[in-house]
Amino acid sequence: MYEKYIKRIFDFSMSLIGLVVLFPFFVVIALAVKFDSKGLIIFKQKRIGRDKRYFYIYKFRTMYSETPKNMATHLIEQPDVYITKVGKILRKTSLDELPQLLNILKGDMAVIGPRPALWNQYDLISERDRVGANSVRPGLTGLAQISGRDELSVVDKAKLDGEYVKNITLWLDFKCFFKTIISVIKKDGVVEGGTAENKK
């Protein structure tokens, strides 16, 4: 009942409220991004959605326009070179993710769920197939994000995503939501330009 009906109502309501309440922050961040470097304010990237359907995720641009496209940050050599001054702040505070409230409103994403993989992150997509984690809407945050985030390996992330899909409840979503706020404040699990695999 919750997964099929209530969760989507909750997602739509939360994203709509978030967009209204946080609108002043959107304006301030947009101006900061625009004046910090040349390029578009909103960055779009092709991602894997529910049942592996493609969609474009929205983020505040945190990198220079000449940054290689369609490549995960941890695969870019010396990613710090490409990150703008404002971008470093946005990424550390996760404020660059705010435009994804629009993705949630549209139905591309949920508030809680597996983080959407890049279309060419074949290893993560394959692991999620194995645990059934590609069958739900991807989320703004999820169980993997409160359990280690960038510090986790692809296999461990997919395992947690599969665990979430098997146990979707209102309680688990609330747990992920509030623990995400704590993790963002403490900056837990953030490894800029890296993951567990390439930091070994």
Side-chain angles (χ1 to χ4, degrees):
M1 182 73 176
Y2 172 71
E3 182 184 353
K4 287 185 177 180
Y5 305 106
I6 300 174
K7 185 175 171 66
R8 177 58 193 151
I9 296 171
F10 171 79
D11 289 336
F12 183 87
S13 302
M14 287 292 290
S15 60
L16 185 60
I17 293 169
L19 285 167
V20 173
V21 173
L22 298 173
F23 181 73
F25 289 94
F26 274 76
V27 174
V28 172
I29 293 170
L31 290 173
V33 171
K34 187 64 178 177
F35 288 115
D36 182 48
S37 61
K38 294 179 180 179
L40 298 173
I41 293 170
I42 298 295
F43 171 72
K44 294 197 303 182
Q45 194 174 53
K46 192 175 179 182
R47 298 283 181 126
I48 297 293
R50 186 179 186 178
D51 297 326
K52 294 194 287 188
R53 291 192 292 266
Y54 296 132
F55 75 98
Y56 284 92
I57 197 172
Y58 305 129
K59 292 187 177 189
F60 282 117
R61 182 175 55 81
T62 59
M63 292 185 162
Y64 294 105
S65 299
E66 59 268 26
T67 305
K69 301 293 189 297
N70 292 317
M71 186 179 291
T73 306
H74 70 272
L75 297 177
I76 299 175
E77 189 176 347
Q78 295 182 312
D80 285 340
V81 174
Y82 295 101
I83 301 173
T84 65
K85 292 177 182 178
V86 169
K88 288 178 182 178
I89 298 171
L90 295 180
R91 292 166 77 96
K92 284 182 179 179
T93 56
S94 296
L95 289 173
D96 60 316
E97 311 283 359
L98 285 181
Q100 284 159 50
L101 290 172
L102 290 168
N103 287 118
I104 298 171
L105 194 70
K106 289 171 58 183
D108 297 327
M109 293 174 61
V111 175
I112 310 297
R115 281 296 295 164
L118 271 165
W119 65 273
N120 57 0
Q121 282 183 289
Y122 304 116
D123 52 350
L124 180 57
I125 296 167
S126 177
E127 284 295 323
R128 283 179 173 171
D129 266 338
R130 194 171 60 81
V131 298
N134 286 318
S135 63
V136 299
R137 285 187 181 90
L140 182 64
T141 185
L143 192 58
Q145 279 60 53
I146 64 169
S147 305
R149 201 171 173 177
D150 297 333
E151 295 175 347
L152 298 173
S153 67
V154 166
V155 173
D156 288 336
K157 281 182 181 178
K159 185 177 179 181
L160 286 164
D161 292 334
E163 184 181 330
Y164 171 78
V165 171
K166 291 177 183 176
N167 300 283
I168 296 176
T169 61
L170 178 61
W171 165 246
L172 182 56
D173 278 3
F174 274 135
K175 177 183 174 182
C176 290
F177 182 80
F178 288 110
K179 283 200 171 184
T180 294
I181 295 173
I182 295 171
S183 295
V184 168
I185 292 171
K186 295 172 65 178
K187 300 181 179 64
D188 287 344
V190 178
V191 181
E192 191 58 76
T195 62
E197 278 89 350
N198 63 10
K199 289 293 176 183
K200 291 179 180 178

